[in-house]
Amino acid sequence: MDAVSKSHVFPSPIGESVTRVDALEKVTGEAKFTDDLQFGAGLLYGQVVRSPHPHAIIKRVDVSRALALPGVRAAVTGEDSDDHIGLYLKDRYIFCRDRVRFVGDPVAGVIAVSESIADEACRLVEVEYEVLEPVLDPLQGVQEGAPLLHPDLGEYVVADFIDPKPGTNIANHFKVRKGDVEAAWSKCDVIVECDFRVPHVQHVPLETHVAVARVDQTGKIILWSSSQSPFAQRNLIAEALNMSQSDIRVIAPYVGGGFGSKAGVSVEGTAVVMARKVPGHPVKMRLTREEEFYCAFVRQGLIARTKVGAKSDGEILAMKTEYYWDAGAYTEYGVNITRASGYSSTGPYRIPNVHADSYCVYTNHPVGGPMRGFGMPEIHWGIEQIMDMVADELGMDKVAFRLKNCLRGGDKNVTGMTMHPIGLAECIEKASKAINWGEKAPASAPHKRRGKGLAIMWKAPAMPPNAGSSAWVRFNEDATVSLGIGGQEIGQGSFTVATQMAAATLGVPLDWIHISAPVDTKYSPYEWQTVASRLTWSMGNAIVQAAEDARRQILDIVAAYWDEDPNDLDVKDGQVISFKSENAIPLKDMVVYGLPLPDDQGWHGGPIIGHGNFMPTYITSLDNETGQGQRAVVHYTTGCQAVDLEVDTETGQIHLLRVASAFDVGKAINPDQVRAQMEGGVVQGASTAILECLQLKDGVPQNPSFTDYRIATSVDIPDEIIPIIVEVPQDDGPWGARGVGEHPMVPTAPAIANAVAAALGVRILEMPMTPEKVFLAIQEKLGEA
Amino acid sequence: MATHKISFNVNGIRETAEVPSNMTLLTLLRERLAITGTKRGCDTGECGACTVLMNAEPVNSCLVLAVEIDGTDIVTVEGLAQDGQLDPLQEAFIQHTGVQCGFCTPGILIAARALLDRNSKPSRREIKDALRGNLCRCTGYTRIIDAIQEAAEVGG
C-alpha cells in the first residue's frame, strides 16, 4: 500500500494524476453497493407485477390469491399511488392506476419474506386488461388520429421551459427559427438532405437497479438506493406522496454504473410504496438483468430529418432539422432531452439560418431516459454524417471543412448566445494529426478496406437554470478534514477530484481529506443531481468556496493569536505560516480547540467548519417561437474524435485500429481521470455504434439478456486509443475546469460511420453498424455497380 | 426443499453450512455469509461480476450450486490480499486506474488472478481473451489490460 500513499504527496494536487481515492476500497471488495448492505432478519422482498401489453386499460386488479400465499405480507396496486410523479412533467403514477403504457409498466406489487415467494405471488395476481391500439413509432404518434397515450396531458404539472401539446402525443415541442432558411437555400451551391435513425439502447450498468425502503412506525421513510440523484429522488417522492422532504432520507452508497439510468426516480418509487404497507420492515426491490432490459430507462430512439446547404467555398449557410424522439410511455428526462437537442441542433457550427423542430413523442415503448450525452450522441449521429456528405459534395477535405465552419470563441451560436472561449479547432487539429489525417495507409489484407473519419461535438449541461451545489469542510482533531458533498461517485472519479480541490484550497496534504460518504440526504449538503457532467464544475465551485470559508476562519484565528494581519498569513502543507514574521503553527494545534489569546485573556476560535454553495445566476430563457435568447446554458464542452479503421468486406466486420479523442476540458484537474473518461467513452460509443440495439417488436424487447444484447467486451476495443487534453479555461470553472464525463461518448459513432464511408463508399444511416448491415450495404453497392 | 450439509474453505477459513438444493454459491456467499465483494450482475453466467476461484479455477458463482462446493477451496476478492499485503494485481489496478464504478472489478481481479496463475507472462491478446467473460461498462478495458500486464511484469 506504500505506492498509494506515495502518490498522494504533491505540492499542489491540481493538474496531478493522483490515484483514485476509492480505488483501494474497490479492489479489496470493501466498497459497499446498495445490494451489499445487510438488513437482518426483518428484510422483506418486493416484486412487481408488470403489464404484458404495450397499451391497455386496467379493468380489474385482484391481489387476494397472492395475499393468501404463505409468506406474503402485503400487496399494493394503483390505489396506493397517491399522486403523479415526474421530473419535468408529472405524467405517471408509481403503480399504474387506470392504464398501462408499456410492456413492463408496474401494475401491482407484492411483499414477501423471500424473493421466490414474491415471484410466485406475482403470478397469482389477477389483472384484467382492455387492450388498446399501441403507438409504436414516433412518426405514427404525431399523426392526427393516433391513439392518445395521455388524454390528461393538459392537466399535468410541468416545468415552465417544457411545452406539451394537450390532445396530442407531443410531450414537448422545441423550435428554433433563426435567419431565413427558405431564402438561404437559393444561395447554396450544395444542398444535402438525409434522414438518420438511432434505435433504443440500454445503459447496461453492471449493477442493476436496486433500492431498499423502510417506513418507520411514525411514517418517516429511509431509502437506500443506487442513485445518481439522492436529493432529486427525495424531492420527487416527497411531492408524489405529499410528504415533507425532511421525512424522507435517501442514503446512496457507491453506484455500480449509472450513465443516466439511475438519475430521477424509477425502481425507488415502487420500493417506497410497497414499504408503506409493512411499517418497520425494509423492503428490497432489485431488478433482474431481464427486468433491467424491460423496465429501466432506455436511451430514446430518434428519427432525424436533416438538410444542410453550403456555398462552393465551403461556408455553411443553412440547416433545417426535424427530430422525432421516441420518448416511450413517460418522459422523466425525455422532454428536456428534446429541448437540449433543439438548442444544440446545429452541432458546433456557425450557421446563420436555422430552422429546427424537436418533438418529444409519447409511444408505447420503454420509458426514455437520459444516457451519457443527453441526446447529443443521438443527434450527432446525423449532424456529423451530413456534414461529411456536404464536404464530399463540395469536394472539400473534411478537416478543412470543419475548421472553416466550426464555432470559435465570440461566435454567435444557434440560439444567439455568444460562445465563450473554446478549443474546438485545436481539438480538430490535434485529433486528426494523431491518426495522420490525409495520409493513405494500406489495408492489412486484400479483402479489407481502410478508412479514416472524424466527427466533432458539443454538449452543454442540460438542466434547470438554477441547479445548485453545496459543500462543507469540517476539521477533525488531527487536522484531517471531513468533506461533505452531495454529488455521487458513479465511477467518473468525482470523489477524487473533490478531494484534490479541497486539499489545494485548504493547503493540506491530499490524504488528509476524507469524503463523508455515502451521500445521505439527512447529513450531506444539497446537490441537484449527479448528471450532465456538471460536478467538477458546479460542485467543484461549492467545494472551493467551502474550503476558502474554512481557510479564512483559520487565518483570522491565527492572526489574532500572533497579532498579525491575516493577509500576511497562508496555509501550506498543513500548517499556518506568516510571510512577515515567519511564524508557523500546525493546523492540528488550532482547528478544533482554537488558540489562547495573549496575556491569559481567554480563548479564540473553535471547531472549524466551512461551507459554500454555487448556482449559476446568469441563465436566461429562450423565446418560445424562435429558440433565441441571451444565454440558455452555462457552457459547452467541445471536442473531436478521429478514427482509423478497417472493414472486412467478406464479413462486414469493423476493426478499429486507432481512435484519437481530443476534448477541451478547460483544465484537467486530474489528467489521468480525464483520459480514463475518454477511453471509456470511446469504447461505450463504439459499442453502441457497432453492437447495440434494444430490439422492440410490438413494444416487447426481443433481446433482454447479455447473450442477445451484446456490449463491447475486451476483444472488441480499438487497438489504440489516443486521448488528447485541450485546455482553454472556463471563466467560472474551478481552475478553469468544465465537464467531460459524457462527451467522449458523443462523436464516436458518427466518426466510425464517416470512416466506414471513407473505406467503402457506403453510408450507414441507422445505428448500429452490425457486420450484417455493413455486409449487406457492400453487396448493395456492388449490385449497383 | 431438501437441504445439504456442506463444508468448505472461503478465503482460507473453514465454513460449514446447511443449504437448500437450489441455492447458488453466489447467494451463499452474499446472503448467508455476508461476503459481498463478489457481485451479482446477471444471474445467468453472462457478465462475470460474480467470478470466484473454486479450487483455483475461475467460475461464475451464479452458475455453481452451493452443494457443489462441498470440500473445495473458494477464493473471493476479499481473499486476494495476504497478511495485509495487496495482491500485485490489486496494486496495479490502483496505479493504472483499472477501476471506475468498481462493480465489475472483483470479478475481473479474480479472472486475472486465475490467468496469471496459469500463465505468468500473458500477451495482450491472451489477457483480452481471458477477460471475454467479464463485462465492464465504464473503463473501456484498456487500463484493466495495462494493469494485468504490469502485475505480470512485477512477477504477480
Side-chain angles (χ1 to χ4, degrees):
Chain A
M1 278 176 240
D2 268 347
V4 181
S5 53
K6 252 185 274 167
S7 68
H8 283 192
V9 182
F10 284 106
S12 165
I14 300 301
E16 295 294 338
S17 294
V18 304
T19 53
R20 293 180 64 108
V21 299
D22 54 347
L24 182 60
E25 277 177 274
K26 287 178 174 176
V27 300
T28 53
E30 188 53 45
K32 293 286 181 278
F33 298 82
T34 300
D35 196 37
D36 299 339
L37 305 178
Q38 302 295 312
F39 292 91
L43 179 66
L44 299 175
Y45 297 85
Q47 188 52 279
V48 170
V49 178
R50 299 181 181 282
S51 168
H53 304 294
H55 198 189
I57 299 288
I58 301 171
K59 304 289 282 184
R60 184 179 68 90
V61 182
D62 184 351
V63 296
S64 56
R65 284 178 64 212
L67 282 170
L69 186 72
V72 172
R73 292 296 168 80
V76 298
T77 65
E79 287 175 18
D80 298 294
S81 300
D82 297 14
D83 217 337
H84 284 95
I85 192 165
L87 182 65
Y88 295 115
L89 177 63
K90 294 191 188 302
D91 62 0
R92 72 193 147 103
Y93 289 112
I94 291 171
F95 284 94
C96 299
R97 282 189 155 210
D98 52 352
R99 186 191 284 247
V100 292
R101 297 179 175 88
F102 74 101
V103 174
D105 220 353
V107 177
V110 293
I111 304 110
V113 296
S114 75
E115 277 177 307
S116 56
I117 294 173
D119 283 342
E120 198 183 338
C122 280
R123 288 192 286 273
L124 298 174
V125 173
E126 295 169 21
V127 188
E128 196 183 314
Y129 297 98
E130 178 190 329
V131 173
L132 300 175
E133 187 192 343
V135 173
L136 299 172
D137 184 289
L139 294 179
Q140 174 205 355
V142 291
Q143 275 170 19
E144 224 167 289
L148 274 194
L149 270 79
H150 291 266
D152 298 334
L153 182 54
E155 322 276 302
Y156 297 159
V157 177
V158 61
D160 60 6
F161 51 88
I162 303 299
D163 191 14
K165 303 294 178 196
T168 76
N169 288 313
I170 298 170
N172 190 19
H173 178 198
F174 182 86
K175 288 180 272 191
V176 177
R177 303 287 184 264
K178 181 191 174 92
D180 186 343
V181 167
E182 293 310 318
W185 299 129
S186 62
K187 297 181 193 131
C188 295
D189 299 305
V190 163
I191 294 174
V192 176
E193 205 169 347
C194 196
D195 292 358
F196 300 90
R197 280 177 179 256
V198 180
H200 292 86
V201 301
Q202 234 276 340
H203 304 70
V204 194
L206 261 287
E207 176 204 36
T208 60
H209 283 66
V210 56
V212 181
R214 180 178 183 276
V215 179
D216 74 15
Q217 303 292 349
T218 71
K220 291 185 180 175
I221 297 171
I222 303 182
L223 174 67
W224 294 264
S225 73
S226 176
S227 172
Q228 295 178 236
S229 324
F231 285 90
Q233 284 183 347
R234 182 182 70 160
N235 191 43
L236 293 172
I237 292 170
E239 287 177 357
L241 303 183
N242 296 307
M243 289 179 67
S244 163
Q245 282 79 359
S246 290
D247 290 337
I248 301 177
R249 175 181 177 192
V250 180
I251 301 172
Y254 281 124
V255 176
F259 316 111
S261 74
K262 291 170 182 167
V265 174
S266 52
V267 64
E268 304 78 17
T270 55
V272 167
V273 170
M274 287 193 277
R276 288 201 300 184
K277 288 276 182 174
V278 285
H281 286 277
V283 175
K284 183 182 281 190
M285 229 346 260
R286 185 183 61 212
L287 296 190
T288 64
R289 181 56 61 185
E290 187 180 18
E291 279 181 298
E292 185 83 14
F293 278 109
Y294 270 88
C295 315
F297 292 144
V298 292
R299 189 170 86 178
Q300 303 179 116
L302 173 66
I303 298 168
R305 294 178 165 165
T306 309
K307 182 176 176 183
V308 175
K311 289 204 295 189
S312 59
D313 66 356
E315 186 190 349
I316 304 170
L317 284 188
M319 183 166 188
K320 186 173 182 184
T321 308
E322 284 173 25
Y323 290 142
Y324 296 93
W325 289 97
D326 189 335
Y330 309 98
T331 63
E332 195 75 351
Y333 291 84
V335 284
N336 199 31
I337 293 169
T338 301
R339 182 175 191 265
S341 62
Y343 68 60
S344 304
S345 61
T346 54
Y349 292 93
R350 199 172 46 248
I351 305 177
N353 303 290
V354 182
H355 186 288
D357 289 283
S358 185
Y359 300 96
C360 184
V361 186
Y362 283 124
T363 64
N364 295 107
H365 279 155
V367 182
M371 179 173 172
R372 197 174 192 174
F374 209 76
M376 297 304 111
E378 299 94 303
I379 68 169
H380 283 75
W381 170 249
I383 296 168
E384 280 304 284
Q385 289 207 66
I386 202 164
M387 291 304 175
D388 250 35
M389 293 154 83
V390 171
D392 271 337
E393 288 286 316
L394 290 164
M396 210 171 154
D397 175 75
K398 282 135 191 166
V399 168
F401 178 70
R402 287 182 171 84
L403 285 173
K404 182 178 179 69
N405 289 290
C406 76
L407 283 168
R408 293 164 194 260
D411 286 344
K412 293 277 188 202
N413 76 9
V414 52
T415 61
M417 165 179 158
T418 304
M419 286 301 290
H420 50 83
I422 52 168
L424 177 55
E426 191 181 338
C427 291
I428 297 171
E429 281 157 2
K430 287 186 166 165
S432 56
K433 191 167 169 226
I435 65 157
N436 304 323
W437 185 262
E439 284 176 30
K440 277 237 177 263
S444 65
H447 64 286
K448 293 184 179 176
R449 300 284 179 275
R450 190 152 171 188
K452 293 177 185 179
L454 84 161
I456 64 177
M457 65 75 65
W458 69 343
K459 184 194 177 293
M463 56 190 195
N466 51 351
S469 299
S470 56
W472 48 253
V473 296
R474 194 193 74 201
F475 274 90
N476 301 312
E477 292 87 337
D478 60 355
T480 57
V481 177
S482 299
L483 171 60
I485 51 175
Q488 261 293 41
E489 176 55 78
I490 66 170
Q492 83 285 42
S494 59
F495 283 7
T496 305
V497 166
T499 300
Q500 288 176 262
M501 290 180 176
T505 310
L506 287 170
V508 303
L510 196 69
D511 56 7
W512 289 18
I513 309 285
H514 299 268
I515 305 277
S516 289
V519 173
D520 180 335
T521 59
K522 188 169 179 178
Y523 302 113
S524 304
Y526 178 86
E527 180 67 53
W528 179 61
Q529 298 192 51
T530 300
V531 295
S533 309
R534 58 183 281 283
L535 287 192
T536 298
W537 164 77
S538 181
M539 186 176 84
N541 279 327
I543 291 168
V544 170
Q545 280 210 19
E548 276 173 356
D549 181 26
R551 188 174 165 279
R552 267 194 306 274
Q553 296 172 41
I554 291 166
L555 296 185
D556 284 348
I557 295 164
V558 176
Y561 177 58
W562 287 338
D563 195 19
E564 291 194 45
D565 184 338
N567 292 320
D568 294 328
L569 274 48
D570 200 359
V571 186
K572 291 269 184 209
D573 205 25
Q575 49 179 358
V576 182
I577 54 167
S578 165
F579 297 116
K580 203 170 175 188
S581 64
E582 297 189 1
N583 274 332
I585 183 172
L587 283 175
K588 69 176 166 49
D589 290 359
M590 54 76 57
V591 284
V592 169
Y593 303 116
L595 287 167
L597 289 168
D599 306 325
D600 199 21
Q601 305 241 338
W603 287 75
H604 181 50
I608 302 293
I609 180 163
H611 62 88
N613 62 27
F614 176 78
M615 186 182 90
T617 52
Y618 43 73
I619 296 303
T620 56
S621 58
L622 292 171
D623 183 87
N624 234 6
E625 290 307 310
T626 64
Q628 301 298 294
Q630 181 115 22
R631 186 171 180 184
V633 300
V634 291
H635 56 252
Y636 280 94
T637 298
T638 56
C640 175
Q641 277 173 358
V643 173
D644 181 5
L645 56 70
E646 257 184 6
V647 185
D648 185 324
T649 57
E650 291 175 356
T651 64
Q653 216 139 24
I654 296 168
H655 181 113
L656 302 172
L657 302 166
R658 277 184 299 180
V659 180
S661 179
F663 288 86
D664 173 15
V665 302
K667 168 73 185 175
I669 304 297
N670 186 321
D672 203 44
Q673 299 301 324
V674 171
R675 287 189 281 267
Q677 285 308 302
M678 292 183 192
E679 292 162 10
V682 164
V683 171
Q684 198 173 28
S687 185
T688 58
I690 297 171
L691 300 169
E692 296 182 41
C693 167
L694 186 67
Q695 293 164 14
L696 295 164
K697 190 179 173 205
D698 299 326
V700 184
Q702 303 296 300
N703 52 344
S705 74
F706 283 135
T707 310
D708 296 320
Y709 185 107
R710 281 253 287 118
I711 65 167
T713 69
S714 50
V715 297
D716 299 312
I717 65 174
D719 292 351
E720 188 184 5
I721 298 174
I722 308 159
I724 299 162
I725 294 172
V726 170
E727 295 178 315
V728 175
Q730 182 63 34
D731 61 356
D732 68 346
W735 291 273
R738 61 175 88 82
V740 71
E742 299 161 286
H743 307 79
M745 174 92 178
V746 175
T748 312
I752 294 171
N754 288 341
V756 167
L760 302 173
V762 298
R763 283 231 162 249
I764 312 285
L765 303 177
E766 180 171 7
M767 270 197 244
M769 295 173 277
T770 57
E772 181 187 14
K773 201 182 284 176
V774 173
F775 179 79
L776 290 174
I778 297 168
Q779 294 305 306
E780 194 178 331
K781 185 169 180 252
L782 288 175
E784 280 168 15
Chain B
M1 181 157 319
T3 59
H4 310 266
K5 268 210 164 121
I6 56 171
S7 58
F8 50 95
N9 287 320
V10 180
N11 301 328
I13 294 176
R14 188 99 183 129
E15 295 273 5
T16 59
E18 191 160 332
V19 297
S21 304
N22 66 350
M23 179 181 270
T24 63
L25 170 56
L26 177 61
T27 298
L28 172 68
L29 288 170
R30 289 184 55 81
E31 288 168 30
R32 189 71 78 77
L33 302 174
I35 300 174
T36 57
T38 306
K39 303 305 179 199
R40 188 188 297 274
C42 70
D43 267 328
T44 49
E46 292 164 355
C47 78
C50 69
T51 310
V52 300
L53 295 179
M54 179 174 164
N55 288 340
E57 285 295 319
V59 295
N60 286 316
S61 61
C62 71
L63 294 185
V64 173
L65 289 172
V67 292
E68 295 178 74
I69 69 160
D70 191 27
T72 68
D73 283 311
I74 303 295
V75 177
T76 71
V77 69
E78 290 92 340
L80 284 179
Q82 297 284 330
D83 306 322
Q85 275 296 103
L86 291 183
D87 187 290
L89 278 164
Q90 292 172 309
E91 291 276 13
F93 270 60
I94 295 171
Q95 292 307 324
H96 285 267
T97 315
V99 174
Q100 284 190 29
C101 87
F103 200 81
C104 71
T105 309
I108 289 187
L109 282 167
I110 293 288
R113 181 74 268 153
L115 168 68
L116 295 191
D117 285 348
R118 66 175 185 269
N119 177 0
S120 62
K121 290 282 179 278
S123 67
R124 249 183 128 70
R125 185 73 233 177
E126 287 169 328
I127 295 171
K128 286 184 182 182
D129 278 338
L131 295 182
R132 273 170 185 267
N134 292 83
L135 299 179
C136 169
R137 190 58 154 171
C138 300
T139 66
Y141 302 99
T142 307
R143 283 156 194 269
I144 290 172
I145 297 160
D146 292 346
I148 296 171
Q149 213 159 32
E150 155 104 5
E153 272 159 26
V154 303

